Amino acid sequence: MTVYDIIIIGGGVIGCCIARTLSKYDLKVALLEKEADIASGTTKANSGVVHAGYASPREYVKRDMCIKGNKLYTQAAEELNFPFQRIGSFVVALEDSQIKKLEEERKLATQDGVPGLELILDKEKIKYMEPNLTDEAVGVLHAPSAGIVSPYEMTYALAENAAMNGVKFFRNQKVRRIKHQNYVFVIKTKTDEFKSNNVINAAGLYGLKISKMVGLDYFKLMPRKGEYILFDRNAMHLNKILFPTPTKVSKGILVCPTVSGNTFVGPNALNITDKKDIATTEAGLKEILEGGNKLVPNMPVRASIRNFAGLRAIPGTYDFIIDSTDVYGFINVVGILSPGLTSCYAIAERVVEFLELLGANTKIKEDYNPMRPKPERFKDFTKEELDRKIKEDPAWGRIICRCENIPEKEILNAIHAPVGATTVDGVKFRCRPGMGRCQGGFCRPRVIEILSRELNIPYEDVLKRGEDTNFLVAKTKEIALLRLKRGENE
Ligand SMILES: Cc1cc2nc3c(=O)[nH]c(=O)nc-3n(C[C@H](O)[C@H](O)[C@H](O)COP(=O)(O)OP(=O)(O)OC[C@H]3O[C@@H](n4cnc5c(N)ncnc54)[C@H](O)[C@@H]3O)c2cc1C
């Protein structure tokens, strides 16, 4: 059996970023993910903001990680070709008393290396930079280094590049037990056993459960829900990420564009106990609309196309837990609340420092390739390029998702990529069929058909996102026959 140098538990943005960073080195690395796909946890549903880094108090590790992490995005986006735009953010003061706070933040963050921060009090200039902003704004803190990213597309890119450089990905592998014997970790899942000299716990909300498996029970993690409303692409066009002036506990409800040209409002912050509760609530949606309306009056409610919620893993300390622990070779990377997405590249570098101290070989491999090719997109081709592509492969011309203009070829590429899609959601999040106005009403059956054909599985075995999420149970006439046999139709 292979004894890995490092096994990472958890395929969120943190686990995948660590995997990609470690794929540089001459190390045997594997990643275990409990779900059918990576990016299925907190990474799937968040604001997708690459924060500038002024928001956390100075004594927190997360402030330092965020400022460093933000800077590392430029190179990462060039190498990995994921959608990322440094559009800048506004923190909006609606009362004169908030201006002082914004100026204090500007000064401190500038000293800490956040570039280009500017307090703007000229209302005309503010309106010119963001015409949608409320007339009530008395000033804004402009952070030009803030940006927007697709969190899941970045995570897929990280995993693809890590896999191209030798990291093994195992999905549907929920870690159930870990034994530490003679400096080797033996990790048991439902179906398999894995061995490794080092383990990195990046299990998000379930980080404490994994930590306890090696006897480490020294932190707390609490789920905190954040709800969102997503608007259709034509609803409005924002230039900037809009935050209210933050409170002590939250950055507040923001109004923000996405890299796909949509806009969203959210999140709120609701402490809950159930780590699977991602339902939206009437009260929550009302709360976020009220919050959004303060920044952009008359939010386009009728153009909302989806509500969703994500869960933060909130540690008792409100700070990241990145520890080389008392169990030799076991590293906790947990409690990665916001700005974890922004900080992931800096967190991965910190993990490498720990592994070096543990004696891991961090010599860069001769054949390491940091580049991940940009996925080809129908929408990016000129008419001439498209004609040529369709001649080469007619799957470029077969449109499956009419809202988003996604041809069959993009779906095939998503399925056959390294660490490719195996579920309907996997396809949707990689290349967008089902993300548009009709939310999959038209394209879902076709996507099921393509997955069934390409993975060589019956229609009934095609899943939405994982175990027990089948869309289809049997053919219509078979169900009728089954019911007849059972006497249900009488
Ligand atoms: C509402 C909200 C808004 C946010 N907005 C931002 C933002 O704008 N900018 C920003 O920087 N950050 C933001 N964040 C924070 C950011 O989303 C997180 O820091 C980041 O996604 C955490 O990633 P992770 O890999 O630690 O966790 P996850 O994505 O949850 O990954 C953990 C993985 O571990 C797997 N796992 C768990 N148990 C096991 C097991 N037993 N065996 C195998 N695998 C297991 C899970 O299935 C999961 O895939 C936001 C978070 C939320 C919830």
Side-chain angles (χ1 to χ4, degrees):
M1 179 196 276
T2 309
V3 178
Y4 290 97
D5 294 307
I6 297 147
I7 282 186
I8 300 159
I9 302 174
V13 68
I14 300 300
C16 291
C17 189
I18 294 170
R20 192 264 178 159
T21 303
L22 294 179
S23 75
K24 266 188 227 170
Y25 308 113
D26 218 345
L27 293 166
K28 283 201 282 290
V29 181
L31 184 146
L32 311 181
E33 166 55 51
K34 75 177 165 71
E35 300 297 334
D37 207 350
I38 54 170
S40 292
T42 303
T43 297
K44 186 160 126 184
N46 57 61
S47 306
V49 174
V50 175
H51 292 285
Y54 48 76
S56 308
R58 261 184 158 174
E59 60 279 17
Y60 283 23
V61 172
K62 62 184 179 177
R63 180 181 177 100
D64 188 34
M65 293 280 122
C66 181
I67 296 171
K68 280 192 189 132
N70 175 303
K71 291 178 182 159
L72 293 169
Y73 258 75
T74 306
Q75 186 184 346
E78 278 166 20
E79 290 176 350
L80 296 168
N81 278 301
F82 55 79
F84 168 58
Q85 297 160 16
R86 258 188 219 285
I87 58 171
S89 64
F90 276 180
V91 184
V92 180
L94 296 174
E95 293 162 22
D96 289 331
S97 60
Q98 293 171 333
I99 299 283
K100 195 169 155 235
K101 184 172 165 38
L102 295 188
E103 176 54 13
E104 276 165 17
E105 281 195 352
R106 188 197 66 77
K107 265 196 200 145
L108 287 181
T110 303
Q111 284 166 15
D112 291 346
V114 178
L117 287 174
E118 185 189 7
L119 187 68
I120 309 177
L121 302 176
D122 176 345
K123 281 196 173 190
E124 259 180 46
K125 185 172 174 187
I126 296 171
K127 204 71 187 168
Y128 175 74
M129 292 172 82
E130 181 44 78
N132 293 287
L133 186 63
T134 172
D135 294 337
E136 307 291 312
V138 291
V140 299
L141 177 60
H142 179 217
S145 64
I148 50 175
V149 67
S150 163
Y152 36 87
E153 285 183 71
M154 181 173 92
T155 305
Y156 300 139
L158 285 162
E160 279 180 29
N161 187 245
M164 283 163 49
N165 284 299
V167 175
K168 304 281 178 231
F169 282 78
F170 299 92
R171 291 173 281 181
N172 291 308
Q173 292 286 359
K174 178 175 179 174
V175 172
R176 293 188 157 178
R177 248 177 315 134
I178 307 176
K179 264 202 226 156
H180 193 207
Q181 288 170 333
N182 304 323
Y183 295 100
V184 173
F185 293 94
V186 181
I187 302 175
K188 295 228 168 171
T189 65
K190 188 174 172 186
T191 50
D192 293 287
E193 189 175 283
F194 299 85
K195 287 189 176 171
S196 178
N197 296 316
N198 300 280
V199 169
I200 297 164
N201 171 15
L205 273 165
Y206 298 87
L208 180 58
K209 211 166 164 189
I210 300 291
S211 186
K212 280 184 181 170
M213 290 181 194
V214 294
L216 293 167
D217 182 7
Y218 66 96
F219 56 87
K220 289 200 166 29
L221 291 180
M222 184 178 64
R224 181 176 288 170
K225 193 194 283 191
E227 293 162 277
Y228 292 94
I229 301 173
L230 183 71
F231 300 107
D232 187 40
R233 234 182 241 151
N234 304 321
M236 66 170 136
H237 176 80
L238 282 184
N239 297 330
K240 296 283 169 193
I241 307 156
L242 302 177
F243 293 97
T245 301
T247 63
K248 271 196 177 140
V249 289
S250 154
K251 293 189 209 62
I253 291 163
L254 53 143
V255 187
C256 183
T258 72
V259 285
S260 318
N262 301 77
T263 305
F264 70 79
V265 58
N268 54 357
L270 193 66
N271 290 338
I272 54 170
T273 48
D274 180 356
K275 292 186 182 132
K276 292 192 172 135
D277 174 8
I278 48 166
T280 52
T281 60
E282 197 182 329
L285 299 180
K286 216 171 147 212
E287 182 191 351
I288 56 177
L289 270 180
E290 272 168 21
N293 274 324
K294 286 184 192 155
L295 298 174
V296 177
N298 306 316
M299 299 290 297
V301 194
R302 280 169 184 273
S304 82
I305 54 172
R306 195 171 185 87
N307 311 325
F308 63 94
L311 301 184
R312 309 161 178 95
I314 304 286
T317 54
Y318 284 90
D319 202 1
F320 297 163
I321 299 163
I322 312 169
D323 284 347
S324 188
T325 67
D326 291 346
V327 176
Y328 191 84
F330 188 90
I331 299 174
N332 270 326
V333 189
V334 290
I336 310 297
L337 67 172
S338 185
L341 179 68
T342 311
S343 310
C344 64
Y345 297 99
I347 292 174
E349 286 189 356
R350 173 70 62 92
V351 170
V352 172
E353 285 165 19
F354 287 147
L355 287 167
E356 275 172 340
L357 292 174
L358 290 166
N361 173 9
T362 50
K363 187 171 164 278
I364 297 187
K365 292 191 287 213
E366 271 179 20
D367 57 352
Y368 169 63
N369 179 3
M371 301 307 291
R372 176 253 191 182
K374 187 170 186 219
E376 290 187 306
R377 301 286 184 222
F378 181 93
K379 69 173 170 57
D380 296 339
F381 292 138
T382 60
K383 179 159 182 330
E384 292 71 35
E385 284 168 338
L386 200 53
D387 286 347
R388 189 166 39 78
K389 283 280 175 191
I390 294 171
K391 269 194 199 121
E392 279 166 23
D393 187 341
W396 276 114
R398 284 196 287 275
I399 298 295
I400 303 296
C401 171
R402 293 192 179 172
C403 301
E404 296 286 310
N405 267 343
I406 311 296
E408 182 174 353
K409 185 66 182 174
E410 284 189 39
I411 297 174
L412 296 176
N413 289 345
I415 295 171
H416 297 297
V419 203
T422 58
T423 61
V424 171
D425 275 4
V427 170
K428 172 178 164 181
F429 283 88
R430 278 173 181 79
C431 62
R432 299 187 61 79
M435 288 266 192
R437 181 119 206 159
C438 93
Q439 289 287 296
F442 177 79
C443 63
R444 191 176 298 133
R446 301 294 316 279
V447 173
I448 294 175
E449 207 178 354
I450 296 168
L451 275 165
S452 159
R453 186 187 72 212
E454 296 301 310
L455 303 177
N456 202 15
I457 54 174
Y459 291 150
E460 301 90 289
D461 290 356
V462 174
L463 302 173
K464 175 169 166 36
R465 58 172 180 276
E467 218 177 317
D468 293 332
T469 59
N470 313 55
F471 286 103
L472 309 168
V473 284
K475 289 188 179 143
T476 316
K477 284 185 184 163
E478 285 173 8
I479 297 180
L481 275 172
L482 263 174
R483 285 195 178 142
L484 256 180
K485 269 189 202 160
R486 288 196 210 124
E488 286 175 15
N489 279 6
E490 286 163 18

